[in-house]
Amino acid sequence: MLAWILLLTIVAAGFALVRALWPAPWRWSPADPIRVALAPAAGLGLASLLFYVVRIVGGMPPIAAIG
């Protein structure tokens, strides 16, 4: 259950990121299906970047975070 909530949170963050970078009216627009398609990729990229930054700030060397 927690994994589904985390996955939905990542996709929602991706949709918010895509919507912020590609502004449109608040109502439904023809570009929204493209935003929905880009949301999972953007969310996973954002989560990966956040994970990497947290590992670096936490004191783990970069090569260990990549490995």
Side-chain angles (χ1 to χ4, degrees), residues 3-64:
W4 286 107
I5 293 172
L6 182 62
L7 184 64
L8 288 175
T9 304
I10 287 173
V11 171
F15 185 75
L17 177 68
V18 171
R19 187 131 173 101
L21 295 176
W22 190 355
W26 282 103
R27 295 177 185 237
W28 183 259
S29 73
D32 278 340
I34 297 171
R35 286 191 196 98
V36 170
L38 292 175
L44 287 173
L46 187 64
S48 297
L49 179 67
L50 182 65
F51 176 75
Y52 183 73
V53 168
V54 167
R55 296 285 291 235
I56 296 300
V57 171
M60 181 163 270
I63 194 69

